[in-house]
Amino acid sequence: MADDHIVRASAVTDETLFAEQGYAAVPLLEPELVRAAQADITEHIDRVSRALYLPFEQSCPDAPPSERIDRVYAHERSVANLLRVAVCTDAHRGPTLQALANDPRLIETAERLGGRKLSDKIARVRASIACFPEHRHAWHSDVARDDGTGCGKVVVTAWIPLSDAGPECGGLEIAAGRQPAPLASEGDDGFEIPEWRLAGLPRVQPECPAGTALFLDRFTPHRTLPARATRFALVVWMKAG
């Protein structure tokens, strides 16, 4: 495993790591505030569940966020998928998640790491859910088509797990090394980067305790690691003006 891991020397700055390897894990936010944002997830699942014909009690309201969707899946798979989609579509509008997404430290750090001015952003909640392994993100970069429009304007991404994340609890794996262009090609299905394009790149699985923001360059390949329990993250894609 040591051969696949880049050891970060204490003398290496976040700017140097980002410039050379395309990522940097920065302790940036208050862990208590980040963990508290999971209450927005719970409230959103409650709101959607109460709008269904299915009795609210069958949405497992007493389960913690890390188990709730998996428990619903055990007896109502389609409802579990509905809740997954709802969270990833609209939960970012919760007040605590909005406070995190709009924290000025995010864009300030992204500008420092990326070395350019940023003026716009998109935020969404993303999840690694044990009962939905097919929805884990395979190898990709946040900009797969460098055309300067839409997603092509993204410069830096901040991935903010709402609980401790890492190799054992549904973090991200990175193919390290700053890339000059996307590794996906026009023929790659769904912009997924095939494994052979990553040959020779070291693999890194950063530890990201709650409060850490993992900043990724626009072309840095990464994928979601399996989770034993559901792990939510707020993702903020920051764009050039």
Side-chain angles (χ1 to χ4, degrees), residues 4-21:
D4 295 330
H5 186 76
I6 292 176
V7 178
R8 178 178 175 182
S10 58
V12 176
T13 65
D14 293 327
E15 291 92 336
T16 299
L17 187 66
F18 191 87
E20 294 179 355
Q21 304 300 336

Side-chain angles (χ1 to χ4, degrees), residues 1-209:
M1 186 69 182
D3 293 338
D4 295 330
H5 186 76
I6 292 176
V7 178
R8 178 178 175 182
S10 58
V12 176
T13 65
D14 293 327
E15 291 92 336
T16 299
L17 187 66
F18 191 87
E20 294 179 355
Q21 304 300 336
Y23 78 97
V26 182
L28 190 67
L29 304 165
E30 293 75 19
E32 297 78 11
L33 179 63
V34 172
R35 292 190 183 100
Q38 293 191 79
D40 288 357
I41 306 290
T42 297
E43 182 179 351
H44 193 59
I45 292 177
D46 285 350
R47 182 185 299 110
V48 174
S49 298
R50 287 192 173 97
L52 302 176
Y53 286 118
L54 185 77
F56 177 71
E57 293 71 23
Q58 293 186 33
S59 71
C60 305
D62 295 330
S66 61
E67 299 176 12
R68 187 170 181 180
I69 292 178
D70 290 292
R71 290 192 187 181
V72 174
Y73 181 90
H75 59 86
E76 290 286 350
R77 296 185 180 186
S78 59
V79 171
N81 189 53
L82 174 66
L83 297 177
R84 177 192 67 82
V85 173
V87 166
C88 293
T89 301
D90 198 46
H92 64 281
R93 302 180 195 276
T96 308
L97 288 166
Q98 280 291 294
L100 293 176
N102 293 317
D103 192 305
R105 289 173 291 182
L106 286 179
I107 200 161
E108 289 168 2
T109 304
E111 289 178 341
R112 173 170 59 83
L113 296 176
R116 60 188 295 185
K117 190 71 175 175
L118 303 172
S119 63
D120 195 13
K121 66 181 181 297
I122 297 173
R124 292 289 187 275
V125 170
R126 291 294 178 257
S128 178
I129 304 174
C131 64
F132 288 113
E134 69 274 19
H135 290 292
R136 290 200 303 267
H137 287 105
W139 286 112
H140 69 286
S141 59
D142 290 326
V143 173
R145 299 288 180 266
D146 189 17
D147 56 9
T149 64
C151 292
K153 291 184 178 181
V154 171
V155 176
V156 178
T157 299
W159 183 81
I160 307 164
L162 303 185
S163 56
D164 295 347
E168 302 302 320
C169 44
L172 296 186
E173 183 172 26
I174 296 167
R178 190 84 175 264
Q179 301 297 323
L183 292 181
S185 70
E186 291 291 344
D188 295 331
D189 183 30
F191 307 134
E192 179 180 339
I193 301 173
E195 184 70 35
W196 65 267
R197 293 185 186 274
L198 304 172
L201 293 178
R203 310 299 171 85
V204 184
Q205 298 179 0
E207 294 284 354
C208 293

